[in-house]
Structures are given as structure tokens and as C-alpha cells.
Amino acid sequence: MDSNSIKVKQVDEVKISKYILKYTFQDWEDIVESDVVIVGAGPSGMTAAYYLAKAGLKTVVFERRLSFGGGIGGGAMLFHKIVIESPADEILKEMKIKLNKVEEGVYIVDSAEFMAKLAASAIDAGAKIIHGVTVDDVIFRENPLKVVGVAVEWTATQMAGLHVDPLFISAKAVVDATGHDAEVISVAARKIPELNIVIPGEKSAYSETAEELTVENTGMVAPGLYAAGMAVTEVKGLPRMGPIFGAMVLSGKRVAEIIIKDLRYS
Ligand code: 48H
Ligand code: FE2
């Protein structure tokens, strides 16, 4: 053998397939009974996942795309710098994301580092992130009326326009972190009118007020169903803030704190 050759362990095709199938299904059997389902791996969803998993709750994030970060990667007009304001900097520091202070309480971060370390922090804390899965409905119960889980489908199946029934995942809390469209809450509002959810829709930009309002209004929308990030703005009729992301991570942290409290006392 020449000195440059590397001995690669040989694994045949059937074994590769069996390992993937066995360990995927092992995970899914666990995931079907979760404490918290977060829909969307954007900044609010991944921050929520980090704090919920850190608190010991079995947390799964379903993300439609094959990537992390939601709107972070696109930044503003595709530029790779993100503006963060205090006190969100504390959360980023906890995740070892480098911040460049440009004025008192205002920081610039690189979008790639922000996405990667948010995801790594959530995963290291114990959250499971599943890509390529779209949440397209919720499960509910009456007496008392409550959202108790979600329906999931492969994004690819949806894109192909195939009629395929979903699988169901139970959860003590479901977080809509789907961004501007608040997709999960919109479905629940339409299909479970008894929840009395009225969605006024997001307002035009007013950054100075939008950040605080979004964080303050983060929380439960109906029993078992919570909003974080831009979904809050949509569901509560608040102004948008544009490409500044402090409110997204603060909203993710806040929804986690609310759920931890609600589950402890329920
Ligand atoms: C599975 C889904 C589904 C679904 C969507 O848009 P996001 O980045 O969401 P937030 O709220 O964490 O952050 C918002 C921020 O990016 C932003 O747009 C800001 C601050 N805008 C201000 C302004 O004025 O415009 O991420 C949502 C994620 C995405 O990755 C989607 O692919 C995913 O959710 N998603 N995943 N099932 N039904 N719907
Ligand atoms: Fe946006």
C-alpha cells in the first residue's frame, strides 16, 4: 500500500439504507409525542427551540426548507449584515455569535454566523430540527378546546401537488414561528372557528415601535397554540420593523419562557 492511501471502512449499500431507515424511524417514533412543536427554523423559532430544549422539554422544529435561518440569509436586499439591538445582544453573546458594536446598544452581525450558531445552539441544547417537512394543519380537542398537535407532510409531496394524507404529531404546545404569513395560526383560525382567532394582518413599517410591540405581544393565541416572531406581528395587527432582528430572538426567548411556565402549572 503506498503511503498516501487511506483505508476507508467498507459499508455496503444495503447496510447504509438500513442504518438510515432504522435511526430515522427511531427518531420519528420519539418525535410523534413531543412536548413542544415549533414550526419554522427562522430566528424566532430557533431561539425558542434553544431555550425550551435547555429547560429539558422535548422540542422539535419542523422546517419546510432544507436550510436554517428563515429570513436571516436573505438579510435586507440580500446583504449579509444583520442589525441587532439591545437587549438581544445578550442572547447572541450566550450563543457565542460575534457582535460588532456600532453605537450604544446597536450591533452588526454576519448573517451566516448568526444562522449557523443559532442552529448549533438549539441542536446542542437538545432540540431536534427536521428539514423538508411542512406543517399544514393542527390537531384539536374539545372540552376544553385546545390545540394538541400538528399535521406534517413532506414539502416535496406538497410541491408535487400530490394528494397524500399527513402524519400527526402531538404536543403540549405548538409555536407558530412561520414568519410573515403566520401559517399555522391562519389554518387554526379558518378551520376551528370556535377558537375565535381574528387575524388583522401586519401593518406597514414603523420600526421604533414594532420591535417592542412584537416582543410584548408574543405568547398564547389559543390554548396550546403560541405565536413568535413575525407571526405575532401578523396575528396582532402590528407594524413591521424591516431588517432588524433583535425582536425576533427576544420573541423566541419570551415564547419559551411563557411555555415553560404554562407547562409547569398545567
Ligand atoms: C414548516 C414553515 C412553514 C410551515 C413557514 O420568516 P422567518 O425568518 O420567521 P421569524 O418570524 O423567525 O423571523 C422573521 C424575519 O426573518 C423577518 O422576516 C423580519 C424580521 N422581517 C421584518 C420585516 O419588516 O419584513 O422564518 C420562518 C421559517 C422559514 O424558514 C420558513 O421556511 C418556515 O418558517 N415555514 N416550515 N411548515 N407551514 N411556514
Ligand atoms: Fe421580513
Side-chain angles (χ1 to χ4, degrees):
M1 200 192 294
D2 87 58
S3 59
N4 284 329
S5 77
I6 301 167
K7 183 83 186 121
V8 178
K9 168 90 179 162
Q10 294 176 356
V11 187
D12 74 41
E13 294 84 349
V14 171
K15 264 194 168 176
I16 296 172
S17 302
K18 280 190 174 177
Y19 283 143
I20 290 171
L21 292 170
K22 180 176 171 193
Y23 290 98
T24 299
F25 288 119
Q26 193 169 299
D27 266 10
W28 274 91
E29 275 194 35
D30 191 41
I31 286 167
V32 287
E33 280 177 299
S34 288
D35 289 327
V36 186
V37 165
I38 297 172
V39 189
S44 66
M46 286 194 293
T47 307
Y50 168 71
Y51 286 106
L52 287 160
K54 208 170 154 209
L57 291 164
K58 195 203 284 185
T59 304
V60 61
V61 182
F62 290 116
E63 167 55 50
R64 160 181 291 154
R65 294 190 269 186
L66 300 179
S67 56
F68 304 108
I72 297 173
M77 289 277 294
L78 298 176
F79 294 125
H80 72 276
K81 295 290 182 188
I82 301 288
V83 179
I84 293 282
E85 76 287 17
S86 64
D89 58 307
E90 290 163 21
I91 297 174
L92 274 72
K93 280 176 194 149
E94 194 177 324
M95 298 177 177
K96 303 200 166 34
I97 297 165
K98 290 187 285 298
L99 296 141
N100 175 15
K101 184 171 168 183
V102 287
E103 64 174 91
E104 202 50 49
V106 183
Y107 306 83
I108 304 291
V109 302
D110 269 27
S111 56
E113 182 178 358
F114 187 23
M115 289 192 280
K117 290 187 177 168
L118 259 178
S121 301
I123 292 165
D124 285 348
K128 189 67 80 176
I129 303 185
I130 307 288
H131 285 122
V133 170
T134 293
V135 169
D136 68 0
D137 204 346
V138 297
I139 321 172
F140 77 107
R141 290 290 179 271
E142 290 168 326
N143 306 316
L145 186 61
K146 190 177 184 339
V147 170
V148 294
V150 295
V152 294
E153 185 56 87
W154 302 120
T155 305
T157 304
Q158 290 207 330
M159 289 169 79
L162 301 175
H163 179 127
V164 178
D165 278 355
L167 279 179
F168 296 118
I169 311 292
S170 79
K172 296 170 189 155
V174 173
V175 181
D176 185 334
T178 64
H180 289 270
D181 293 336
E183 286 192 24
V184 183
I185 296 169
S186 299
V187 169
R190 179 165 52 83
K191 294 176 79 169
I192 318 170
E194 307 90 295
L195 289 174
N196 291 318
I197 300 172
V198 178
I199 302 181
E202 155 190 309
K203 285 188 181 162
S204 296
Y206 189 171
S207 305
E208 287 96 324
T209 63
E211 294 263 285
E212 262 175 32
L213 284 170
T214 299
V215 181
E216 277 168 18
N217 281 277
T218 294
M220 193 191 278
V221 172
L225 183 58
Y226 298 77
M230 286 311 285
V232 176
T233 314
E234 172 73 4
V235 169
K236 300 290 180 179
L238 307 176
R240 68 189 297 188
M241 68 289 292
I244 178 163
F245 279 69
M248 298 300 107
V249 290
L250 291 168
S251 172
K253 183 174 184 185
R254 186 167 182 132
V255 84
E257 287 168 349
I258 293 169
I259 290 170
I260 291 163
K261 207 157 131 229
D262 287 355
L263 295 188
R264 196 164 289 153
Y265 298 109
S266 65

